[in-house]
Amino acid sequence: MKKWLLIPLLSLSLTGCAFNSIFINYPSQIAPVKAQLNTNDPIKGADEVADNISGADGLLYAQEAGRVAQIAGDFEASKAYYQQAVAAYLEFDDKATLSASDLGATASSLFINDNVIPYRGPGYERVMLHQYQALNYLLSGDKEGALVEVRRSNNLQSSEQRRYQKSNESVQAIANGTIDAEVNKLGQAAGSVTSSFLNAYSYYITGVLHEILGEPNDAFIDYRKAAQIAPNNPYVQKDLVRLARQLSMPQADEFEKRWGKAAKPKKGEGEVIILVERGFVDEKQSLTVPFRVHGSWQTASLATYPFNSRPVAKGQIRGLDKRLTAAPIANIDALAITALKEELPAALVRQAARAYAKAEMARSVRSESKARNNETDFGSIAMQIFNVVTEQADRRSWLTLPKQAQIARTYVNQGQYSVQLDNSSPASVEVKSGRTTLVWVIDTGNYTRFYSIII
């Protein structure tokens, strides 16, 4: 076998079940699953991705399968898939040193692309994994189990931030002008979001659970954290006013002056808390730049995000004897964009090493051809084609997450209601006096699903 073929073939043999993403970008692989979610039989999508959980990207597929089952309303199946994803994260945490397979995948990435490296997930996905597992428990009637999960989610927001800062200290100086420009664009696209690890949606759900379980002090702390991240959300503001007054806090007067008085339930009324999730998070795009190294063509491909993403409309809630407008609590797009910006320096280090390795391979092939006095340098041509074809940006991410999360909250009289999101088909929601009804609305674009529970 020709020496110039040996390394590429060896690299391909090490990719295992991650092979698909090497040549076929991940968004196109998951597109049929997302399309299935806009039908009345979404659970087929979970079956499609579950078959890949045993592979190198098993963590990602477990997250996708769990989310698809959850959207379909199969909370027990979703719980099991999410547990597999949690186990995969913990396994990565427990690895003090790289295994032989990890070393092989990392070595392969130098000759192919980052898609051969097993998927480990950015911190914001791990935070949302526990948040969604909490909703599985809550919709199954297990409030204590839900509280355990959201506490894990909140703790991760701090630990993941520290881990990122520590791991990136050594690569911050790598960025050049082109990368700096891309980072600035990503920063502008992320808007006011400065950290991918801080999620107001997660803090808000924790606050709701604390309040339901009779822990108003803890609820106030979580609502305060949510307000720091999403300061313009009127529902979070009124929650702070209400709890500050209920707990006789000194800042109650200040809060009322800033945000107005909070409504109180009347006799015969129950509370309705609405969580609205809209669309799908944006897919990563590829930024590819061709250049020459040692006389051979190379390409550098890095992941980026579109900068013209369409804004999300605020949900109009009808059918509760009043019209409510949901307010954004978290832009998942912005978290994903910020996560990519945080990961870009390390990705650039791998990209530089890969470009050098491929250039050295191409130069070695040319030297071999010259030594044999070949008129047509087929080996060099083949290597250049191989390098161009295999240089694919790592576009993997959890793509069944929503684009944006919104919330609404109100009191209404006890009774049965027919609730709509915008012009969706109505869903029946029950409200009991003195109780809280949680309504979870998932809008995937062409299909809207409602799940509710009295807690």
Side-chain angles (χ1 to χ4, degrees), residues 234-235 263 270-276 278 313-327 406-412 417 419-422 431 437 439 441:
Y235 296 103
E271 186 175 34
V272 181
I273 300 174
I274 303 173
L275 310 177
V276 178
R278 313 210 72 168
K314 294 180 180 179
Q316 302 299 316
I317 312 297
R318 298 181 174 89
L320 288 171
D321 290 344
K322 60 180 70 177
R323 187 165 176 169
L324 287 176
T325 299
Q406 304 173 0
I407 60 170
R409 195 164 182 165
T410 191
Y411 298 105
V412 297
Y417 294 87
V419 180
Q420 290 178 279
L421 173 67
D422 300 328
V431 179
T437 299
V439 183
V441 189

Side-chain angles (χ1 to χ4, degrees), residues 287-308:
L287 174 67
T288 302
V289 181
F291 59 94
R292 293 177 71 87
V293 178
H294 300 323
S296 66
W297 280 105
Q298 303 292 327
T299 57
S301 292
L302 291 170
T304 187
Y305 275 100
F307 303 120
N308 56 350

